[in-house]
Amino acid sequence: MIVLGILGMVLYALFFYNPCNYSHKNPNPDNKYQLLIANEESHFKDSVVSVLTQHYSSKPVNIKIIPLSALSQIEPKEYHAIVILHSWYTWKPPPEVEGFVQKHHNCLENIVSFSTSFYGNLKMKELDGITGASKMSDANGYAQKLIEEINPLLNIDKQN
């Protein structure tokens, strides 16, 4: 019984355990562009991410989705575009986002943010992006605005 229990835990760790919550999408070597999405998970933000991934799934884009907690491990120059989705808490962005922006303050040109707040008007001055409130009915519209910001970074025109 003990051996079977240990074997079960090892198999779980090998096949299902995902401590960093990285996306399991396998990169396609034929894809030309790299898109990273750092998401502070919520039902609303996950809906926006879902629209983004559906939109770019038919494009020559490899998509990697990570939690905000993994931002410190990211090198912006490895991606053509980075999208950061986060909320504001007590008039501040999450420390992971603030630290990432401070660390890479000289290479933020390929980063787009979507920040949500109660009134939908707070954003970091260092990052290009959009702001809004977390209304489920607006998720598709915000995703479309993000796509308009991301496409030039991926050299994808509106027709693609």
Side-chain angles (χ1 to χ4, degrees), residues 18-91:
N18 188 8
C20 295
N21 200 26
Y22 285 109
S23 171
H24 288 292
K25 293 185 182 223
N26 293 327
N28 181 344
D30 296 332
N31 287 346
K32 194 173 181 179
Y33 302 106
Q34 305 300 319
L35 171 62
L36 176 78
I37 301 174
N39 184 21
E40 178 183 55
E41 293 180 357
S42 72
H43 188 61
F44 172 74
K45 289 180 192 69
D46 290 346
S47 296
V48 172
V49 169
S50 177
V51 173
L52 293 176
T53 56
Q54 287 174 356
H55 176 80
Y56 288 109
S57 66
S58 62
K59 312 276 188 263
V61 177
N62 287 322
I63 302 169
K64 182 176 185 178
I65 302 171
I66 64 168
L68 286 184
S69 60
L71 263 178
S72 63
Q73 303 164 13
I74 297 302
E75 181 58 50
K77 294 175 185 174
E78 294 178 6
Y79 298 91
H80 295 94
I82 296 174
V83 179
I84 301 174
L85 295 95
H86 70 86
S87 297
W88 281 72
Y89 302 101
T90 60
W91 301 279

Side-chain angles (χ1 to χ4, degrees), residues 4-16:
L4 286 176
I6 292 172
L7 180 61
M9 288 189 320
V10 168
L11 289 175
Y12 172 79
L14 289 174
F15 293 108
F16 301 107

